[in-house]
Amino acid sequence: MSREIIIMIIGMAVVTYIPRMLPFVMFRGKELPPFLQGVLKNVPFATLGALIFPAILFIQEDIWYGLIGAAAAFIVAFLGANVILVVIGSISVLTLYSYFF
């Protein structure tokens, strides 16, 4: 492996590690305001929605495939099932949809 590639890998590791380490160092022993805690608790859900929604619309040439899968997943999740059952339910509905249509 060339020296340039090794330096590049080390540089990428440092650049990836710094943003993850900084909050721990900067906020050690400090309490965040309740409003900011509430906002930060919702960030994973907002990010997940931003990643999934475009995929629903562009999953295949048939837009109904994505919409039906999303609707099935939403209904199963709304009924209180865990993530594995939501995924299995959505896959099952889409399998039936693919088979009959």
Side-chain angles (χ1 to χ4, degrees), residues 17-67:
Y17 182 71
I18 287 174
R20 294 170 191 234
M21 183 227 11
L22 278 179
F24 290 112
V25 173
M26 291 174 54
F27 297 115
R28 184 181 306 159
K30 297 178 184 173
E31 186 75 24
L32 293 175
F35 174 75
L36 190 57
Q37 287 180 3
V39 169
L40 291 175
K41 285 181 182 178
N42 290 319
V43 167
F45 300 112
T47 306
L48 190 60
L51 291 172
I52 290 176
F53 186 73
I56 290 171
L57 300 177
F58 299 115
I59 192 166
Q60 282 191 347
E61 293 177 7
D62 183 13
I63 193 169
W64 286 107
Y65 196 80
L67 295 176

Side-chain angles (χ1 to χ4, degrees), residues 68-69 72-73 76 83-96:
I68 290 171
V76 175
V83 176
I84 298 297
L85 292 178
V86 171
V87 171
I88 290 172
S90 182
I91 290 172
S92 300
V93 168
L94 289 177
T95 301
L96 291 173

